[in-house]
Structures are given as C-alpha cells and as structure tokens.
Coordinates of all heavy atoms in Angstrom, one line a residue:
M20 N -29.4 3.0 1.2 CA -28.0 3.1 1.5 C -27.3 1.8 1.0 O -27.6 0.7 1.4 CB -27.8 3.1 3.1 CG -28.2 4.4 3.7 SD -28.2 4.3 5.5 CE -26.4 4.6 5.7
T21 N -26.4 2.0 0.1 CA -25.7 0.9 -0.4 C -24.2 1.0 0.1 O -23.6 2.1 0.1 CB -25.7 0.9 -2.0 OG1 -25.6 2.2 -2.4 CG2 -26.9 0.3 -2.5
L22 N -23.7 -0.2 0.4 CA -22.3 -0.2 0.9 C -21.4 -0.6 -0.2 O -20.2 -0.4 -0.1 CB -22.2 -1.2 2.1 CG -23.0 -0.7 3.3 CD1 -22.9 -1.8 4.4 CD2 -22.4 0.6 3.9
G23 N -21.8 -1.2 -1.2 CA -20.9 -1.7 -2.3 C -20.4 -0.6 -3.2 O -20.9 0.5 -3.1
P24 N -19.4 -0.9 -3.9 CA -18.9 0.0 -4.9 C -19.9 0.3 -6.0 O -20.6 -0.6 -6.4 CB -17.6 -0.6 -5.4 CG -17.8 -2.1 -5.2 CD -18.7 -2.2 -4.0
I25 N -19.9 1.5 -6.4 CA -20.9 1.9 -7.5 C -20.3 1.7 -8.9 O -21.0 1.3 -9.8 CB -21.3 3.4 -7.3 CG1 -22.0 3.5 -5.9 CG2 -22.2 3.8 -8.4 CD1 -22.2 5.0 -5.5
G26 N -19.0 1.9 -9.0 CA -18.4 2.0 -10.3 C -17.9 0.7 -10.8 O -17.1 0.6 -11.7
G27 N -18.3 -0.5 -10.3 CA -17.9 -1.8 -10.8 C -16.7 -2.3 -10.1 O -16.6 -2.2 -8.9
S28 N -15.8 -2.9 -10.8 CA -14.8 -3.7 -10.1 C -13.4 -3.0 -10.0 O -12.4 -3.6 -9.7 CB -14.5 -5.0 -10.9 OG -14.1 -4.7 -12.2
S29 N -13.5 -1.7 -10.2 CA -12.2 -0.9 -10.2 C -11.6 -0.9 -8.8 O -10.4 -0.8 -8.7 CB -12.4 0.5 -10.7 OG -13.3 1.2 -9.8
G30 N -12.4 -1.0 -7.8 CA -11.9 -1.0 -6.4 C -10.9 -2.2 -6.2 O -9.8 -1.9 -5.7
S31 N -11.4 -3.4 -6.5 CA -10.5 -4.5 -6.2 C -9.3 -4.5 -7.1 O -8.2 -5.0 -6.7 CB -11.3 -5.8 -6.3 OG -11.8 -5.9 -7.6
D32 N -9.5 -4.0 -8.3 CA -8.3 -3.9 -9.2 C -7.3 -2.9 -8.6 O -6.1 -3.2 -8.7 CB -8.8 -3.3 -10.6 CG -9.5 -4.4 -11.4 OD1 -9.5 -5.6 -11.0 OD2 -10.1 -4.0 -12.4
A33 N -7.7 -1.8 -8.0 CA -6.8 -0.9 -7.4 C -6.1 -1.5 -6.2 O -4.9 -1.3 -6.1 CB -7.6 0.4 -6.9
I34 N -6.8 -2.3 -5.5 CA -6.2 -2.9 -4.3 C -5.1 -3.9 -4.8 O -4.0 -3.9 -4.2 CB -7.3 -3.7 -3.5 CG1 -8.2 -2.7 -2.8 CG2 -6.6 -4.6 -2.5 CD1 -9.4 -3.3 -2.2
R35 N -5.4 -4.7 -5.8 CA -4.4 -5.6 -6.3 C -3.2 -4.9 -6.9 O -2.0 -5.3 -6.7 CB -5.0 -6.5 -7.4 CG -5.8 -7.6 -6.8 CD -6.4 -8.5 -7.9 NE -7.6 -9.2 -7.4 CZ -8.5 -9.7 -8.1 NH1 -8.4 -9.6 -9.4 NH2 -9.5 -10.3 -7.6
A36 N -3.4 -3.8 -7.5 CA -2.3 -3.0 -8.1 C -1.4 -2.4 -7.0 O -0.2 -2.5 -7.1 CB -2.8 -1.9 -9.0
V37 N -2.0 -1.9 -6.0 CA -1.3 -1.3 -4.9 C -0.5 -2.4 -4.1 O 0.7 -2.3 -3.8 CB -2.2 -0.6 -3.9 CG1 -1.5 -0.2 -2.6 CG2 -2.8 0.7 -4.6
E38 N -1.2 -3.5 -3.9 CA -0.6 -4.6 -3.2 C 0.7 -5.1 -4.0 O 1.7 -5.5 -3.4 CB -1.6 -5.8 -3.1 CG -1.1 -6.9 -2.2 CD -2.2 -7.9 -2.0 OE1 -3.0 -8.1 -2.9 OE2 -2.2 -8.5 -0.9
A39 N 0.6 -5.1 -5.3 CA 1.7 -5.6 -6.1 C 2.9 -4.7 -6.0 O 4.1 -5.2 -5.9 CB 1.3 -5.7 -7.6
V40 N 2.7 -3.4 -6.0 CA 3.9 -2.5 -6.0 C 4.5 -2.4 -4.6 O 5.7 -2.1 -4.5 CB 3.5 -1.1 -6.5 CG1 3.1 -1.2 -8.0 CG2 2.5 -0.4 -5.7
I41 N 3.8 -2.6 -3.6 CA 4.4 -2.6 -2.2 C 4.8 -3.9 -1.7 O 5.3 -4.0 -0.6 CB 3.5 -1.9 -1.2 CG1 2.2 -2.7 -1.0 CG2 3.2 -0.5 -1.6 CD1 1.3 -2.1 0.1
A42 N 4.7 -5.0 -2.5 CA 5.0 -6.3 -2.1 C 6.5 -6.4 -1.9 O 7.0 -7.2 -1.0 CB 4.6 -7.3 -3.1
T43 N 7.3 -5.7 -2.7 CA 8.8 -5.8 -2.6 C 9.5 -4.6 -2.2 O 10.7 -4.5 -2.3 CB 9.3 -6.3 -4.0 OG1 8.8 -5.4 -5.0 CG2 8.7 -7.7 -4.3
A44 N 8.7 -3.5 -1.9 CA 9.4 -2.3 -1.5 C 8.5 -1.5 -0.6 O 7.3 -1.7 -0.5 CB 9.7 -1.5 -2.8
S45 N 9.1 -0.5 0.1 CA 8.4 0.4 0.9 C 8.2 1.7 0.1 O 9.2 2.3 -0.3 CB 9.2 0.7 2.2 OG 9.4 -0.4 3.0
L46 N 7.0 2.0 -0.1 CA 6.7 3.1 -0.9 C 5.7 4.1 -0.3 O 4.7 3.6 0.4 CB 6.0 2.7 -2.3 CG 6.9 1.8 -3.2 CD1 6.1 1.3 -4.4 CD2 8.1 2.6 -3.6
C47 N 5.9 5.4 -0.4 CA 5.0 6.3 0.1 C 3.8 6.4 -0.9 O 3.8 5.9 -2.0 CB 5.6 7.7 0.2 SG 6.1 8.5 -1.3
R48 N 2.8 7.1 -0.5 CA 1.6 7.2 -1.3 C 1.8 7.8 -2.6 O 1.3 7.3 -3.6 CB 0.5 7.9 -0.5 CG -0.9 7.5 -1.0 CD -2.0 8.0 -0.1 NE -2.3 9.4 -0.4 CZ -3.0 10.2 0.4 NH1 -3.4 9.8 1.5 NH2 -3.3 11.4 0.0
Q49 N 2.6 8.8 -2.7 CA 2.9 9.5 -3.9 C 3.5 8.5 -4.9 O 3.2 8.5 -6.1 CB 3.7 10.7 -3.7 CG 3.0 11.9 -3.2 CD 3.8 13.1 -3.1 OE1 5.0 13.1 -2.7 NE2 3.2 14.3 -3.4
C50 N 4.5 7.8 -4.4 CA 5.2 6.8 -5.3 C 4.2 5.7 -5.8 O 4.3 5.2 -6.9 CB 6.4 6.3 -4.6 SG 7.7 7.5 -4.5
I51 N 3.4 5.3 -4.8 CA 2.4 4.3 -5.2 C 1.5 4.8 -6.3 O 1.2 4.1 -7.3 CB 1.6 3.8 -4.0 CG1 2.5 3.1 -3.0 CG2 0.4 2.9 -4.4 CD1 1.8 2.9 -1.6
V52 N 1.1 6.0 -6.2 CA 0.2 6.6 -7.2 C 1.0 6.7 -8.5 O 0.4 6.3 -9.6 CB -0.2 8.1 -6.8 CG1 -0.8 8.8 -7.9 CG2 -1.2 8.0 -5.6
A53 N 2.2 7.1 -8.5 CA 3.0 7.2 -9.7 C 3.2 5.8 -10.4 O 3.1 5.7 -11.6 CB 4.4 7.8 -9.4
R54 N 3.4 4.8 -9.5 CA 3.7 3.4 -10.1 C 2.4 2.7 -10.6 O 2.5 1.9 -11.5 CB 4.4 2.6 -9.1 CG 5.8 3.1 -8.8 CD 6.6 2.1 -8.1 NE 8.0 2.6 -7.8 CZ 9.0 1.9 -7.5 NH1 8.9 0.6 -7.4 NH2 10.2 2.4 -7.2
T55 N 1.3 3.0 -9.9 CA 0.1 2.3 -10.4 C -0.7 3.1 -11.4 O -1.6 2.6 -12.0 CB -0.8 2.0 -9.1 OG1 -1.1 3.3 -8.5 CG2 -0.1 1.1 -8.1
A56 N -0.4 4.4 -11.5 CA -1.2 5.3 -12.4 C -2.6 5.3 -11.9 O -3.5 5.6 -12.7 CB -1.0 4.9 -13.8
L57 N -2.9 5.1 -10.7 CA -4.2 5.1 -10.1 C -4.5 6.5 -9.5 O -3.5 7.2 -9.1 CB -4.4 4.1 -9.0 CG -4.4 2.6 -9.5 CD1 -4.3 1.7 -8.3 CD2 -5.7 2.3 -10.2
P58 N -5.7 6.9 -9.4 CA -6.0 8.2 -8.7 C -5.6 8.1 -7.3 O -5.7 7.0 -6.6 CB -7.6 8.3 -8.8 CG -7.9 7.4 -10.0 CD -6.9 6.3 -10.0
D59 N -5.2 9.2 -6.8 CA -4.7 9.3 -5.4 C -5.8 8.7 -4.4 O -5.4 8.0 -3.5 CB -4.4 10.7 -5.0 CG -3.8 10.8 -3.6 OD1 -2.7 10.5 -3.4 OD2 -4.6 11.3 -2.7
R60 N -7.0 9.1 -4.7 CA -8.1 8.6 -3.8 C -8.2 7.1 -3.8 O -8.4 6.4 -2.8 CB -9.4 9.2 -4.2 CG -10.5 8.7 -3.3 CD -11.7 9.7 -3.4 NE -11.4 11.0 -2.9 CZ -12.3 12.0 -2.7 NH1 -13.5 11.7 -3.0 NH2 -11.9 13.1 -2.2
D61 N -8.1 6.5 -5.0 CA -8.1 5.0 -5.1 C -7.0 4.4 -4.3 O -7.2 3.3 -3.6 CB -8.1 4.6 -6.5 CG -9.4 4.8 -7.2 OD1 -10.4 5.4 -6.6 OD2 -9.6 4.5 -8.4
V62 N -5.8 5.0 -4.4 CA -4.7 4.4 -3.7 C -4.9 4.5 -2.2 O -4.6 3.6 -1.4 CB -3.4 5.2 -4.1 CG1 -2.2 4.8 -3.2 CG2 -3.0 4.9 -5.5
E63 N -5.4 5.6 -1.7 CA -5.7 5.8 -0.3 C -6.6 4.8 0.2 O -6.5 4.1 1.3 CB -6.2 7.2 0.0 CG -6.5 7.4 1.4 CD -7.0 8.8 1.7 OE1 -7.2 9.6 0.8 OE2 -7.1 9.2 2.9
I64 N -7.7 4.6 -0.5 CA -8.7 3.6 -0.1 C -8.1 2.2 -0.1 O -8.3 1.4 0.8 CB -9.9 3.7 -1.0 CG1 -10.6 5.0 -0.8 CG2 -10.9 2.5 -0.8 CD1 -11.7 5.3 -1.9
A65 N -7.4 1.9 -1.2 CA -6.8 0.6 -1.3 C -5.8 0.3 -0.1 O -5.8 -0.8 0.5 CB -6.0 0.4 -2.6
L66 N -5.0 1.3 0.3 CA -4.1 1.2 1.4 C -4.8 0.9 2.7 O -4.4 0.0 3.5 CB -3.3 2.4 1.5 CG -2.1 2.6 0.5 CD1 -1.5 4.0 0.5 CD2 -1.1 1.5 0.7
R67 N -5.9 1.6 2.9 CA -6.7 1.4 4.1 C -7.2 -0.1 4.2 O -7.2 -0.7 5.2 CB -7.8 2.3 4.2 CG -7.4 3.7 4.5 CD -8.6 4.6 4.7 NE -8.2 6.0 4.8 CZ -9.0 7.0 5.0 NH1 -10.3 6.8 5.2 NH2 -8.6 8.3 5.1
V68 N -7.7 -0.6 3.1 CA -8.2 -1.9 3.0 C -7.1 -2.9 3.3 O -7.2 -3.9 4.0 CB -8.9 -2.2 1.7 CG1 -9.2 -3.7 1.5 CG2 -10.1 -1.3 1.5
L69 N -5.9 -2.7 2.6 CA -4.8 -3.6 2.7 C -4.2 -3.6 4.1 O -3.9 -4.7 4.6 CB -3.7 -3.2 1.7 CG -4.1 -3.6 0.3 CD1 -3.1 -2.9 -0.7 CD2 -4.0 -5.1 0.1
I70 N -4.2 -2.5 4.8 CA -3.7 -2.4 6.2 C -4.6 -3.3 7.1 O -4.1 -4.0 8.0 CB -3.6 -1.0 6.7 CG1 -2.4 -0.3 6.0 CG2 -3.4 -0.9 8.2 CD1 -2.5 1.2 6.2
R71 N -5.9 -3.2 6.8 CA -6.8 -4.0 7.7 C -6.8 -5.5 7.3 O -7.0 -6.3 8.2 CB -8.2 -3.4 7.6 CG -8.3 -2.0 8.2 CD -9.7 -1.5 8.2 NE -10.6 -2.4 8.7 CZ -11.9 -2.2 8.8 NH1 -12.4 -1.1 8.3 NH2 -12.7 -3.1 9.4
T72 N -6.7 -5.8 6.0 CA -7.0 -7.1 5.6 C -5.8 -8.0 5.2 O -5.8 -9.2 5.3 CB -7.9 -7.2 4.4 OG1 -7.3 -6.5 3.3 CG2 -9.2 -6.4 4.7
S73 N -4.7 -7.3 4.8 CA -3.6 -8.0 4.3 C -2.3 -7.8 5.1 O -1.2 -8.3 4.7 CB -3.3 -7.6 2.8 OG -4.4 -8.0 2.0
G74 N -2.4 -7.2 6.2 CA -1.2 -7.0 7.0 C -0.1 -6.1 6.5 O 1.0 -6.2 6.8
V75 N -0.5 -5.2 5.6 CA 0.4 -4.2 5.1 C 0.8 -3.3 6.3 O 0.0 -2.9 7.1 CB -0.3 -3.4 4.0 CG1 0.5 -2.1 3.7 CG2 -0.4 -4.2 2.7
Q76 N 2.1 -3.0 6.3 CA 2.6 -2.3 7.4 C 3.2 -0.9 7.0 O 3.4 -0.7 5.8 CB 3.8 -3.1 8.0 CG 3.4 -4.4 8.5 CD 4.5 -5.3 8.9 OE1 5.6 -4.8 9.3 NE2 4.3 -6.6 8.8
L77 N 3.3 -0.1 8.0 CA 3.8 1.2 7.8 C 5.4 1.2 7.9 O 5.9 0.5 8.7 CB 3.2 2.2 8.8 CG 1.7 2.3 8.8 CD1 1.3 3.4 9.8 CD2 1.2 2.6 7.4
A78 N 6.0 2.0 7.1 CA 7.4 2.2 7.2 C 7.8 3.7 7.3 O 7.0 4.5 7.0 CB 8.1 1.6 5.9
D79 N 9.0 3.9 7.7 CA 9.4 5.3 8.0 C 9.9 6.0 6.7 O 9.8 7.3 6.7 CB 10.5 5.4 9.0 CG 10.0 4.9 10.4 OD1 8.8 5.1 10.6 OD2 10.8 4.4 11.2
V80 N 10.5 5.3 5.8 CA 11.1 5.9 4.7 C 10.6 5.2 3.4 O 10.6 4.0 3.3 CB 12.6 5.9 4.8 CG1 13.3 6.5 3.6 CG2 13.1 6.6 6.0
C81 N 10.4 6.0 2.4 CA 10.1 5.5 1.1 C 11.3 5.0 0.4 O 12.3 5.8 0.3 CB 9.3 6.5 0.3 SG 9.0 6.0 -1.4
D82 N 11.4 3.8 -0.1 CA 12.5 3.3 -0.8 C 12.8 4.0 -2.1 O 13.9 4.0 -2.6 CB 12.3 1.8 -1.1 CG 12.5 0.9 0.1 OD1 13.0 1.4 1.1 OD2 12.1 -0.2 0.1
S83 N 11.7 4.6 -2.7 CA 11.8 5.1 -4.0 C 12.3 6.6 -4.0 O 13.2 7.0 -4.8 CB 10.5 5.0 -4.7 OG 10.6 5.5 -6.0
C84 N 11.7 7.4 -3.2 CA 12.0 8.8 -3.2 C 12.7 9.3 -2.0 O 13.1 10.5 -1.9 CB 10.8 9.6 -3.5 SG 9.6 9.6 -2.1
D85 N 13.0 8.4 -1.0 CA 13.7 8.8 0.2 C 12.9 9.9 1.0 O 13.5 10.6 1.8 CB 15.1 9.2 0.0 CG 16.0 8.0 -0.3 OD1 15.6 7.0 0.2 OD2 17.0 8.2 -0.9
S86 N 11.7 10.1 0.7 CA 10.9 11.1 1.5 C 10.6 10.5 2.9 O 10.6 9.3 3.1 CB 9.6 11.4 0.8 OG 8.5 11.0 1.5
A87 N 10.5 11.4 3.8 CA 10.3 11.0 5.2 C 8.8 10.8 5.5 O 8.5 10.6 6.7 CB 10.9 12.1 6.1
S88 N 8.0 10.9 4.5 CA 6.6 10.7 4.8 C 6.3 9.2 5.0 O 7.2 8.4 4.7 CB 5.8 11.2 3.6 OG 6.1 10.6 2.4
T89 N 5.2 8.9 5.5 CA 4.8 7.5 5.8 C 4.8 6.7 4.5 O 4.2 7.0 3.5 CB 3.5 7.5 6.5 OG1 3.5 8.3 7.6 CG2 3.1 6.1 6.8
A90 N 5.5 5.6 4.6 CA 5.5 4.6 3.5 C 4.8 3.4 3.9 O 4.5 3.1 5.1 CB 7.0 4.3 3.1
F91 N 4.5 2.6 2.9 CA 3.8 1.3 3.1 C 4.5 0.2 2.5 O 5.1 0.3 1.5 CB 2.4 1.4 2.5 CG 1.6 2.6 3.0 CD1 1.8 3.9 2.3 CD2 0.8 2.5 4.0 CE1 1.1 5.0 2.8 CE2 0.1 3.7 4.5 CZ 0.2 4.9 3.8
T92 N 4.5 -1.0 3.2 CA 5.1 -2.1 2.7 C 4.3 -3.4 2.9 O 3.6 -3.5 3.9 CB 6.5 -2.2 3.4 OG1 7.3 -3.3 2.7 CG2 6.4 -2.5 4.8
G93 N 4.5 -4.3 2.1 CA 3.7 -5.5 2.1 C 4.0 -6.5 3.3 O 5.1 -6.4 3.9
P94 N 3.1 -7.3 3.6 CA 3.3 -8.2 4.8 C 4.4 -9.2 4.6 O 4.9 -9.8 5.6 CB 1.9 -8.9 4.9 CG 1.4 -8.9 3.5 CD 1.9 -7.6 2.9
M95 N 4.8 -9.5 3.4 CA 5.8 -10.5 3.2 C 7.3 -10.0 3.3 O 8.2 -10.8 3.3 CB 5.7 -11.1 1.7 CG 4.5 -12.0 1.7 SD 4.3 -12.8 0.1 CE 3.7 -11.4 -0.9
S96 N 7.4 -8.7 3.4 CA 8.7 -8.1 3.6 C 9.1 -8.0 5.0 O 9.5 -7.0 5.5 CB 8.8 -6.8 2.9 OG 7.9 -5.9 3.5
N97 N 9.0 -9.2 5.7 CA 9.3 -9.2 7.2 C 10.8 -9.6 7.4 O 11.1 -10.6 8.0 CB 8.4 -10.1 7.9 CG 8.2 -11.4 7.2 OD1 8.9 -11.7 6.2 ND2 7.5 -12.3 7.8
R98 N 11.7 -8.7 6.9 CA 13.1 -9.1 7.0 C 13.6 -9.0 8.4 O 14.6 -9.7 8.7 CB 13.8 -8.1 6.1 CG 13.4 -8.0 4.7 CD 13.8 -6.6 4.1 NE 12.7 -5.8 3.7 CZ 12.8 -4.6 3.1 NH1 13.9 -4.2 2.8 NH2 11.7 -3.9 2.9
D99 N 13.0 -8.3 9.2 CA 13.6 -8.1 10.6 C 13.2 -9.1 11.6 O 13.6 -9.0 12.7 CB 13.2 -6.7 11.1 CG 11.7 -6.4 11.0 OD1 11.1 -7.1 10.3 OD2 11.3 -5.5 11.7
T100 N 12.4 -10.1 11.2 CA 11.9 -11.0 12.2 C 12.9 -12.1 12.5 O 13.1 -12.6 13.6 CB 10.6 -11.6 11.9 OG1 10.7 -12.2 10.5 CG2 9.5 -10.6 11.9
T101 N 13.6 -12.5 11.4 CA 14.6 -13.6 11.6 C 16.0 -13.2 11.4 O 16.9 -14.0 11.2 CB 14.2 -14.8 10.6 OG1 14.3 -14.3 9.3 CG2 12.9 -15.3 10.9
A102 N 16.2 -11.9 11.4 CA 17.5 -11.4 11.0 C 18.6 -11.4 12.1 O 19.7 -11.2 11.8 CB 17.4 -10.0 10.4
S103 N 18.2 -11.6 13.3 CA 19.1 -11.5 14.4 C 20.1 -12.7 14.3 O 19.8 -13.8 14.4 CB 18.4 -11.6 15.7 OG 17.7 -12.8 15.8
A104 N 21.4 -12.3 14.2 CA 22.4 -13.3 14.1 C 22.7 -13.8 15.5 O 22.8 -13.1 16.5 CB 23.7 -12.6 13.5
S105 N 22.9 -15.1 15.5 CA 23.1 -15.8 16.8 C 24.5 -16.1 17.1 O 25.2 -16.7 16.2 CB 22.2 -17.1 16.9 OG 22.5 -17.9 15.8
Ligands
ZN15 ZN1 8.1 7.9 -2.3

C-alpha cells in the first residue's frame, strides 16, 4: 500500500494552480477546471487538500458564471472580517 502519488509531481502542481485562480475570486469547480485546464478530478482533489491545509473557504456564488453551485475562495479574501463601519 502506497500513499504517495503515483504519477509524479502533477498533484502539487494542480494544487498550486487551483490555489492561484481562487486567490482573488470565488469560483465554482467548473470554472476552476476551465481556468486551470486541469482534469475535473485533479481539481476536486486539489480543493479538498486546500480546504484542509490552506484555509480555502466555501462561497455561495461563483464570481465567474453566477451559478448557485458551491464556489471556493482563497483564505486571503477575508473581506468581511474588518468591513464593519464604526
Ligand atoms: Zn462558475
């Protein structure tokens, strides 16, 4: 039983690519696939890893296609934490 990736370094490359496209926008999985040109399965795996390790959050709406499916956004887009006007 091996736990490591079999196909080389494509896994971490996929994670970086996904992380890059959601760093500045909320995107659903389909749009992430379209923007990264990665296989859907690689995007799904990368998202799971990022949610656990990089604080990627879920959003309600995709900024790109306005679909109501679950979107993903990077941990740095925390606009709502300090936005309350005093
Ligand atoms: Zn979308």
Side-chain angles (χ1 to χ4, degrees):
M20 293 173 79
T21 38
L22 292 175
I25 297 169
S28 61
S29 63
S31 58
D32 288 348
I34 291 170
R35 280 180 203 160
V37 171
E38 188 174 31
V40 296
I41 63 175
T43 56
S45 301
L46 295 174
C47 70
R48 203 170 83 195
Q49 283 185 320
C50 287
I51 296 169
V52 169
R54 292 196 181 198
T55 59
L57 291 166
D59 183 76
R60 177 163 297 190
D61 283 3
V62 170
E63 180 179 3
I64 292 169
L66 283 170
R67 290 187 189 182
V68 172
L69 285 168
I70 287 169
R71 289 182 57 179
T72 63
S73 295
V75 166
Q76 298 171 31
L77 303 183
D79 292 332
V80 177
C81 173
D82 287 345
S83 182
C84 67
D85 283 336
S86 113
S88 60
T89 302
F91 305 86
T92 187
M95 284 180 290
S96 61
N97 49 359
R98 303 159 245 184
D99 51 342
T100 53
T101 58
S103 58
S105 52

